[in-house]
C-alpha cells in the first residue's frame, strides 16, 4: 500500500512539474484516414446493401399481402356459398311451409265454404269487434272455456269418470268442441281490424290476417282431438288440457263486455271473484291429490273419504288459503310442507286479489267520492263564513240534483278530454236540431251553428231561481235542455204569461241588440219552474264565431233588426192630446167619511 501511494505521488509530482503530461489511461486508436475512392466505394456498397435489404423486405411484405388476400378471397367465397346454401334452404323451407298451410286452408275452405256462404246472409262479410252479436257469441265461447278449465281439472283428480257419467261427459265435450270449431271457422275470420289507421272490411284480407296471426296457430293447437287417444289408454280428461290455450278468447270477451257496459265495475267484481273461486278450486284438487298420495283416511289431516269428495276438499281449501284456521294438525313432513306452502300461497294470492278488488271498487266509486269531497268542501266553506242556513240548503239541493241528473258536477270536464271530432258529434246529436228551429239562426251557415254548439255551457237552476230579471243587461241566450221555465210578471211575479219546456229558446234577440239606449235590456222575468237544466250561449262567444262568418253576420244583423221591431212596444199615437192645467192632477178624490164626521162635530160645538 505504501509503495502504491509513493508511485501515485510521483506521478502527481510529475504532472505538477509538466502540465503537458497525459493520463496514465490508454488512449483510443486513431481512425484511419481513407482515400476518396475507397470512401466512395464503401458508401456505395453500404447503399446497395441497404437497397437490397429494403427490396427484400418489400418483396416479403408483398408476398404476405398476396397470401392474406388469397385467404380473404377464399373466406369470402366460402361465406357466399354458405349464405347461398342457407338462402336456398330457407326458400325451400318457406315454400314447404307455405304449401302445407295453403293445403290446410284449401281443405278448410272447401269444407266450410257452404256454411260460410249461408252465414254471410246473417252476419255479413265482416263484423265489427264491438258488435253485440259478436260479444254474445264470445259469451258462449267464454262459457265453453270455463267448462274446460273447471271440469277438466276436477275430472282429472276426482273419481267422476264411470260407466254412467262417461256418456254425458263425452256429449258435453263434443258440444264444446263444436263451439270452438265454429268460432275458428265462422267468426274469427270475419273480425275487422285496423291497419295503418284504416279499418279493413274486406273478407279475404280479414281471413288472411287471422290465419297469419299467432292466435290462429294457438286456436288450431287447442282443437287437436287428443281425446281419440282415450280409445287406447282409457277415458281421461287429461287429453283436453290443450283446450286451456283458448284463454285469449276469455280475455277478449272480458274487454269487449267492459267496453259496452254502462257500469263496467260490476263485471270486474264478478271476474275477480271468479279468480278467487278458481284458485280455491285448484287448491281443492291439489289437496285431494295429496290425500291420495298419503292414503285416504291414513291420518287426521288428509281427506277421510267420507261424504262428497269435492265439497269436503273445497271446504278445506277455503279454510286453508284464507287462513281461517281450525284445521287438523299435519303430522308427516309431506303434510307439513304442503300446509306451509298453502299458507304462503294463500297470503300472496288473496292479498293480491283483495288489492285488486279494492282498486275495482275504488275506480267504481271515484266519481261519487269526488262529488262528496266537493260538497263537503263547499259546506265547510259556508260554515266558516256563517252562510245562512237557507242558502246552504239550496246549495246542497243543487249539488244533489246535479249529481243525480248528470252523474257529474261539470260536463265540460269530461268533454274537454275528448278530441274535437267527438265533442262535435255529441253536440250535434244533442242540440243541432233545436238550433235549426230558432228563427234567428235560420239561413245561417251550418258550420257556424256547429261552432256555436261547442260554446254552449250547461247550468242547472233550482225551483224558483230567476234565470233573467226584467231590466237586466242581456248577454246570453238560453236553450232548455230539461225541465221548464215560466215568464212571469205582476206586482209579486205571481202572473204566469207562458211556460217554456224542453227544446224552447229565449233571450236570443239580446245577443244582437246594442247596449246603446238600453236596447238589450231584459223585458220580462223568467224563473225556473222546478229543476231546469239550461244551455247558455254568451254574446262574446257568438261575436268570436261571427268574425269567421261575415255572410252569416249580415243575415243575423238583418233578422235581429226585424225581430226587435216586431217584438218592440207599440209607438205612441201622435194625435193624442196631452192634459193641461188642473187636468194634470185628475179628479179630486171625495172627502173621507171619518173627516166629515169630525167636521160636523166641530160645527156643532161652535154653535
Amino acid at each position: 500500500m505504501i509503495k502504491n501511494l509513493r508511485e501515485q505521488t510521483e506521478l502527481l509530482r510529475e504532472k505538477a512539474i509538466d502540465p503537458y503530461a497525459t493520463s496514465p489511461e490508454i488512449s483510443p486508436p486513431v481512425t484511419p484516414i481513407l482515400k476518396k475512392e475507397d470512401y466512395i466505394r464503401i458508401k456505395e456498397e453500404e447503399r446497395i446493401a441497404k437497397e437490397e435489404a429494403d427490396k427484400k423486405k418489400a418483396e416479403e411484405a408483398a408476398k404476405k399481402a398476396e397470401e392474406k388476400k388469397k385467404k380473404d378471397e377464399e373466406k369470402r367465397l366460402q361465406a357466399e356459398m354458405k349464405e347461398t346454401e342457407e338462402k336456398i334452404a330457407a326458400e325451400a323451407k318457406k315454400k314447404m311451409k307455405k304449401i302445407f298451410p295453403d293445403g290446410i286452408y284449401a281443405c278448410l275452405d272447401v269444407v266450410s265454404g257452404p256454411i260460410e256462404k249461408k252465414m254471410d246472409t246473417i252476419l255479413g262479410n265482416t263484423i265489427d269487434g264491438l258488435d253485440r252479436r259478436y260479444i254474445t257469441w264470445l259469451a258462449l265461447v267464454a262459457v265453453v272455456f270455463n267448462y274446460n278449465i273447471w271440469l277438466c281439472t276436477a275430472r282429472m283428480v276426482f273419481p267422476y269418470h264411470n260407466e254412467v257419467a262417461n256418456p254425458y261427459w263425452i256429449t258435453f265435450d263434443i258440444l264444446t268442441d263444436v263451439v270452438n270449431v265454429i268460432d275458428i271457422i265462422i267468426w274469427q275470420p270475419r273480425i275487422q281490424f285496423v291497419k295503418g289507421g284504416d279499418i279493413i272490411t274486406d273478407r279475404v284480407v280479414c281471413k288472411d290476417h287471422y290465419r297469419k296471426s299467432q292466435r290462429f296457430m294457438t286456436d288450431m293447437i287447442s282443437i287437436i282431438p287428443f281425446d281419440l287417444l282415450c280409445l287406447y289408454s282409457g277415458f281421461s280428461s287429461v287429453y283436453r288440457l290443450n283446450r286451456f290455450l283458448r284463454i285469449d278468447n276469455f280475455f277478449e270477451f272480458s274487454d269487449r263486455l267492459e267496453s259496452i257496459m254502462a257500469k263496467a265495475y260490476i263485471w270486474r267484481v264478478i271476474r275477480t271473484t271468479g279468480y278467487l273461486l278458481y284458485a280455491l278450486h285448484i287448491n281443492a284438487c291439489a289437496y285431494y291429490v295429496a290425500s291420495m298420495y298419503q292414503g285416504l283416511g291414513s291420518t287426521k289431516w288428509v281427506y277421510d273419504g267420507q261424504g262428497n269428495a269435492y265439497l269436503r276438499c273445497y271446504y278445506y281449501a277455503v279454510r286453508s288459503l284464507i287462513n281461517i284456521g281450525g284445521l287438523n294438525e299435519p303430522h308427516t313432513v309431506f303434510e307439513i310442507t304442503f300446509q306451509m306452502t298453502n299458507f304462503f300461497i294463500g297470503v300472496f294470492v288473496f292479498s293480491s286479489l283483495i288489492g285488486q278488488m279494492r282498486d275495482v271498487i275504488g275506480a267504481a266509486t271515484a266519481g261519487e267520492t269526488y262529488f262528496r269531497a266537493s260538497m263537503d268542501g263547499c259546506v265547510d266553506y259556508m260554515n266558516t263564513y256563517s252562510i245562512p242556513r237557507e242558502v246552504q240548503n239550496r246549495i246542497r239541493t243543487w249539488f244533489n240534483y246535479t249529481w243525480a241528473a248528470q252523474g257529474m258536477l261539470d260536463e265540460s270536464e269530461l268533454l274537454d278530454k275528448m278530441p274535437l271530432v267527438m265533442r262535435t258529434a255529441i253536440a250535434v246529436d244533442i242540440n243541432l236540431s233545436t238550433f235549426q228551429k230558432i228563427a234567428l239562426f235560420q239561413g245561417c251557415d251550418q258550420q257556424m251553428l256547429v261552432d256555436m254548439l261547442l260554446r254552449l255551457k250547461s247550468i242547472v237552476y233550482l225551483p224558483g231561481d230567476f234565470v233573467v230579471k226584467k231590466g237586466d243587461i242581456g248577454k246570453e241566450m238560453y236553450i232548455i235542455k230539461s225541465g221548464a221555465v215560466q215568464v212571469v210578471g205582476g206586482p209579486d211575479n205571481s202572473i204566469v204569461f207562458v211556460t217554456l219546456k224542453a227544446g224552447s229558446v229565449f233571450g236570443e234577440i239580446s245577443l244582437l241588440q246594442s247596449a246603446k239606449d238600453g236596447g238589450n235590456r231584459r223585458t220580462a222575468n223568467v224563473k225556473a219552474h222546478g229543476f231546469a237544466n239550461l244551455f247558455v250561449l254568451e254574446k262574446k262567444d257568438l261575436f268570436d264565431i261571427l268574425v269567421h262568418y261575415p255572410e252569416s253576420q249580415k243575415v243575423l244583423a238583418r233578422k235581429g233588426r226585424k225581430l226587435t221591431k216586431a217584438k218592440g212596444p207599440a209607438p205612441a199615437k201622435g194625435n193624442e192630446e196631452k192634459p193641461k192645467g188642473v187636468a194634470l192632477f185628475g179628479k179630486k178624490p171625495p172627502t173621507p167619511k171619518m173627516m166629515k164626521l169630525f167636521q160636523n162635530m166641530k160645527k156643532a160645538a161652535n154653535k
Side-chain angles (χ1 to χ4, degrees), residues 125-155:
N125 289 332
T126 57
I127 188 171
D128 184 10
L130 295 178
D131 192 301
R132 297 299 178 99
R133 296 173 298 173
Y134 178 60
I135 296 176
T136 304
W137 171 256
L138 282 179
L140 178 59
V141 176
V143 170
V144 169
F145 173 75
N146 278 277
Y147 165 83
N148 286 318
I149 65 172
W150 282 79
L151 295 182
C152 287
T153 50
R155 288 158 54 188

Side-chain angles (χ1 to χ4, degrees), residues 222-437:
S222 69
I223 61 172
I224 296 176
F226 293 115
D227 310 60
L228 298 177
L229 296 175
C230 295
L231 298 175
Y232 301 97
S233 59
F235 188 66
S236 174
S237 61
V238 70
Y239 301 116
R240 297 185 59 82
L241 291 180
N242 59 323
R243 306 300 192 273
F244 292 11
L245 295 175
R246 299 219 74 200
I247 190 172
D248 287 343
N249 295 78
F250 174 77
F251 288 123
E252 182 186 5
F253 164 71
S254 178
D255 295 338
R256 306 284 189 190
L257 185 62
E258 286 185 13
S259 65
I260 65 172
M261 288 184 67
K263 297 182 179 179
Y265 66 88
I266 296 176
W267 166 247
R268 297 190 189 108
V269 171
I270 295 173
R271 183 183 59 194
T272 305
T273 305
Y275 294 159
L276 170 61
L277 296 178
Y278 188 71
L280 294 173
H281 166 78
I282 295 298
N283 190 256
C285 295
Y287 175 65
Y288 186 81
V289 171
S291 299
M292 291 289 292
Y293 175 77
Q294 289 286 95
L296 297 179
S298 59
T299 64
K300 293 183 177 180
W301 181 82
V302 300
Y303 168 59
D304 57 4
Q306 302 296 323
N308 187 293
Y310 182 77
L311 290 179
R312 293 291 185 102
C313 293
Y314 202 91
Y315 175 76
Y316 162 83
V318 171
R319 297 182 68 89
S320 176
L321 281 186
I322 305 181
N323 295 324
I324 296 177
L327 299 171
N328 293 323
E329 292 292 332
H331 300 287
T332 65
V333 174
F334 174 80
E335 293 174 354
I336 293 173
T337 304
F338 186 90
Q339 190 63 50
M340 289 177 61
T341 305
N342 253 7
F343 286 148
F344 285 123
I345 293 176
V347 170
F348 174 74
V349 172
F350 281 91
S351 61
S352 302
L353 291 176
I354 290 172
Q356 185 176 359
M357 189 72 74
R358 181 202 61 191
D359 294 339
V360 169
I361 297 175
T365 59
E368 187 172 355
T369 302
Y370 171 73
F371 160 70
R372 292 297 176 189
S374 300
M375 185 173 177
D376 292 343
C378 184
V379 171
D380 292 341
Y381 176 83
M382 292 187 294
N383 290 332
T384 301
Y385 290 95
S386 302
I387 305 299
R389 185 63 57 184
E390 181 180 357
V391 177
Q392 292 192 25
N393 291 336
R394 290 182 64 80
I395 292 176
R396 287 192 181 93
T397 303
W398 180 87
F399 268 101
N400 291 324
Y401 175 78
T402 303
W403 178 258
Q406 358 183 107
M408 61 188 70
L409 296 179
D410 189 0
E411 291 181 347
S412 61
E413 292 183 1
L414 175 63
L415 296 176
D416 289 343
K417 298 177 183 178
M418 297 183 180
L420 180 60
V421 176
M422 299 298 178
R423 281 184 286 153
T424 303
I426 292 174
V428 168
D429 185 64
I430 295 175
N431 295 314
L432 182 60
S433 59
T434 302
F435 256 71
Q436 290 174 340
K437 295 177 183 178

Side-chain angles (χ1 to χ4, degrees), residues 9 14 52 204 215 220 225 364 386 530 552 558 602:
T9 304
E14 290 178 0
E52 289 178 352
V204 177
R215 181 172 179 177
M220 294 300 294
S386 302
S552 297
R558 185 170 58 254
K602 187 175 181 181

